[in-house]
């Protein structure tokens, strides 16, 4: 969001807010990620949520809801490039026409480029004089101009957000509408039978995928934040997207009540 505001403040129009990943495999689980988690002293379920795409889906849904952007397709483009490809080259995999003509702009991610772990914003500019100077300043010839930060420092950055909120009344991220624009829906990691129980995010049974909220609501899709530990009402297949009708909903769930209140139904 800092980079988005910076680019917008320069007078450019952000058309894509992106994240850089080194790995994307929706079928990873705590067993496959156990050694990595042990090496770095992390929880294997949390590490799995990074590898299987659930975490990045939440991150990009938050960015979408804070900027007014959407996703170009279910699950985002998630383009993969050769490992180590410079970001300036990697972003050329996106369709310039799609980005320039997008009404809202999109959130997305790339797998493989450097700086690994960074974030980026792609933007456009209509003024020919400013386009000349963007080229002079080595940002490029356009029509898409890349800006990026080579790191994503997670908990190191949290105190700054807290301080900004408390000292300066400066919000890090606020939803632009009264309802989400993008949600994280539930997809299956494996076949499961009626009566079986889903586990948790970063586990063995499900992974999260971004979808535009109007589509998700039209299809009655189940947000993954509501799916943990629910019982299946029917057999489901690997990569199926769950709906509210596929699970036994706990009527005493505070989370479900708050979600229902938010959507007014």
């Amino acid at each position: 969001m800092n980079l988005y505001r910076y680019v917008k403040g320069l007078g450019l129009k952000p058309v894509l807010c992106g994240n850089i990943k080194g790995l994307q495999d929706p079928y990873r689980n705590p067993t496959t990620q156990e050694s990595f988690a042990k090496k770095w002293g992390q929880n294997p379920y949390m590490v799995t949520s990074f590898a299987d795409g659930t975490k990045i889906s939440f991150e990009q849904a938050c960015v979408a809801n804070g900027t007014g952007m959407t996703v170009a397709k279910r699950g985002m483009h998630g383009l993969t490039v050769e490992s180590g490809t410079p970001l300036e080259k990697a972003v050329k995999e996106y369709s310039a026409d799609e980005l320039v003509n997008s009404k809202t702009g999109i959130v997305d991610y790339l797998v493989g480029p450097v700086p690994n772990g960074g974030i980026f914003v792609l933007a456009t500019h209509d003024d020919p004089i400013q386009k000349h100077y963007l080229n002079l300043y080595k940002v490029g010839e356009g029509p898409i101009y890349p800006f990026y930060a080579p790191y994503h420092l997670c908990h190191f950055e949290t105190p700054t957000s807290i301080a900004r909120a408390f000292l300066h009344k400066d919000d890090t991220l606020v939803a632009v509408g009264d309802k989400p624009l993008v949600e994280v829906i539930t997809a299956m990691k494996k076949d499961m039978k009626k009566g079986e129980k889903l586990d948790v995010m970063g586990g063995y049974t499900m992974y999260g995928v971004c979808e535009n909220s109007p589509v998700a609501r039209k299809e009655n899709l189940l947000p993954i934040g509501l799916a943990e530990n629910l019982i299946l009402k029917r057999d489901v297949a690997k990569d199926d997207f769950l709906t509210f009708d596929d699970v036994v909903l706990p009527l005493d769930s505070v989370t479900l009540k708050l979600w229902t209140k938010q959507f007014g139904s």
Side-chain angles (χ1 to χ4, degrees):
M1 289 302 296
N2 286 338
L3 184 59
Y4 170 84
R5 283 189 285 263
Y6 173 73
V7 171
K8 200 171 181 181
L10 293 178
L12 288 92
K13 176 187 175 182
V15 293
L16 187 150
C17 288
N19 210 318
I20 301 171
K21 292 197 72 181
L23 169 69
Q24 172 73 9
D25 180 354
Y27 312 117
R28 293 297 177 106
N29 60 53
T31 300
T32 65
Q33 304 311 112
E34 184 177 6
S35 61
F36 181 90
K38 185 176 181 180
K39 175 183 177 181
W40 292 101
Q42 301 295 305
N43 183 311
Y45 282 82
M46 183 180 73
V47 170
T48 299
S49 75
F50 302 169
D52 69 14
T54 302
K55 174 178 175 283
I56 201 168
S57 295
F58 272 106
E59 289 174 340
Q60 298 306 76
C62 288
V63 173
N65 292 325
T67 61
M69 292 184 172
T70 57
V71 292
K73 57 181 287 189
R74 182 172 295 180
M76 301 179 280
H77 286 306
L79 303 176
T80 299
V81 299
E82 184 178 353
S83 181
T85 300
L87 179 64
E88 293 88 343
K89 181 178 179 181
V91 297
K92 295 183 185 299
E93 295 294 320
Y94 288 108
S95 166
D97 288 342
E98 177 188 8
L99 296 181
V100 169
N101 295 321
S102 173
K103 293 181 179 179
T104 63
I106 65 171
V107 294
D108 212 89
Y109 67 94
L110 288 170
V111 180
V114 289
N116 195 332
I119 52 95
F120 62 98
V121 170
L122 303 184
T124 62
H125 208 306
D126 294 330
D127 186 270
I129 295 176
Q130 301 304 342
K131 292 169 75 172
H132 167 81
Y133 280 101
L134 285 166
N135 196 16
L136 173 65
Y137 297 147
K138 308 299 187 292
V139 183
E141 296 180 355
I144 304 299
Y145 300 98
F147 297 82
Y148 66 89
Y151 46 73
H152 179 118
L153 297 179
C154 306
H155 75 276
F156 286 102
E157 297 172 331
T158 302
T160 301
S161 294
I162 296 170
R164 279 170 47 177
F166 182 78
L167 298 174
H168 304 297
K169 312 304 179 187
D170 181 20
D171 303 312
T172 300
L173 187 153
V174 176
V176 296
D178 58 349
K179 293 182 180 180
L181 298 171
V182 173
E183 303 179 28
V184 183
I185 60 175
T186 310
M188 297 300 301
K189 286 187 178 180
K190 62 178 184 176
D191 298 344
M192 293 184 68
K193 298 292 186 181
K194 176 182 177 180
E196 290 189 306
K197 188 177 183 180
L198 299 169
D199 58 359
V200 297
M201 287 180 277
Y204 294 86
T205 63
M206 59 187 182
Y207 61 95
V209 172
C210 276
E211 177 58 278
N212 292 319
S213 189
V215 176
R217 291 309 96 234
K218 182 179 180 180
E219 298 183 17
N220 200 32
L221 297 173
L222 179 67
I224 195 169
L226 299 177
E228 292 190 329
N229 300 310
L230 298 188
I231 303 297
L232 292 170
K233 293 168 64 175
R234 68 173 180 90
D235 294 352
V236 294
K238 183 179 180 179
D239 291 324
D240 275 357
F241 296 101
L242 297 186
T243 71
F244 279 92
D245 296 329
D246 295 329
V247 294
V248 178
L249 294 172
L251 299 180
D252 60 345
S253 168
V254 174
T255 310
L256 178 60
K257 290 177 182 178
L258 291 173
W259 185 90
T260 302
K261 182 177 181 181
Q262 182 180 30
F263 280 89
S265 62

